[in-house]
Amino acid sequence: MKHLQLLVTTTLFMLAGCGESALRSVSSGYVGCSPDEIEITNDDIGFSNRSWDAACHGRIFHCSGAGKIGMSCVEDRPPVDETLRAVTASQVGCLAAEVEISRDKPEFNRRSWEAVCRGHAFYCSAEARKAISCVEQTAIAPKAPSLGTPETRPVNDRQTLEHPL
């Protein structure tokens, strides 16, 4: 454990004097991209800490390292509702501001939700963050309960049947 702390501390002190190339290398394992795919921005060097943003494949991670504590990177994500609104808007041809999300059901490797835009209701689903689809729900008016024909309609509380002729 002490060896790991020493390695992290040494790496951070080395990073204090190193440039973007070293930050890309240490960020790589945390963000899941190779160093040459990572762009570093907002590099801020403090007395015993350093923070920076690492971006790759359209995702942004806020990274930091401090003395013996270590290093971490956390992905910057928009609120879920806004993401679903944007995805739904692109699928149904509306603006994100026009989309209302309801019944969001995240599951393992699958997510489903309902959305309304411009008076139209949609059922949307996503499989493994790849296959996204939204299908318009057609409004089916419920049938009125049948009161029966004049020949079978109950005429009193004993349910007696009388023919109208």
Side-chain angles (χ1 to χ4, degrees):
M1 183 69 166
K2 287 194 179 237
H3 295 301
L4 180 61
Q5 288 178 341
L6 180 60
L7 177 64
V8 170
T9 303
T10 305
T11 303
L12 289 173
F13 282 123
M14 288 173 34
L15 289 177
C18 294
E20 192 174 308
S21 175
L23 290 178
R24 285 196 306 263
S25 293
V26 297
S27 301
S28 177
Y30 290 90
V31 303
C33 298
S34 65
D36 59 325
E37 296 175 304
I38 298 173
E39 179 184 339
I40 301 296
T41 57
N42 301 323
D43 186 11
D44 184 25
I45 302 171
F47 176 70
S48 64
N49 62 343
R50 188 169 189 171
S51 64
W52 63 95
D53 292 341
C56 70
H57 300 292
R59 297 167 54 198
I60 299 173
F61 296 82
H62 302 292
C63 301
S64 63
K68 294 181 181 180
I69 296 173
M71 181 185 147
S72 69
C73 291
V74 177
E75 186 173 3
D76 179 28
R77 295 183 181 199
V80 173
D81 188 50
E82 292 305 313
T83 301
L84 288 180
R85 286 170 55 146
V87 166
T88 304
S90 69
Q91 293 289 314
V92 301
C94 293
L95 298 174
E98 297 174 308
V99 176
E100 294 297 323
I101 302 293
S102 64
R103 299 187 186 187
D104 181 18
K105 300 173 193 164
E107 300 170 10
F108 179 74
N109 243 6
R110 179 173 161 69
R111 182 175 212 149
S112 62
W113 63 97
E114 292 181 16
V116 175
C117 177
R118 298 182 191 158
H120 297 274
F122 299 90
Y123 174 79
C124 301
S125 64
E127 298 272 341
R129 294 186 178 187
K130 293 179 183 174
I132 299 170
S133 67
C134 290
V135 178
E136 186 168 2
Q137 297 176 356
T138 55
I140 300 172
K143 293 182 179 179
S146 174
L147 296 176
T149 63
E151 293 84 18
T152 61
R153 185 176 304 135
V155 292
N156 60 32
D157 60 344
R158 286 197 261 151
Q159 304 272 326
T160 58
L161 300 175
E162 293 180 2
H163 197 280
L165 296 175

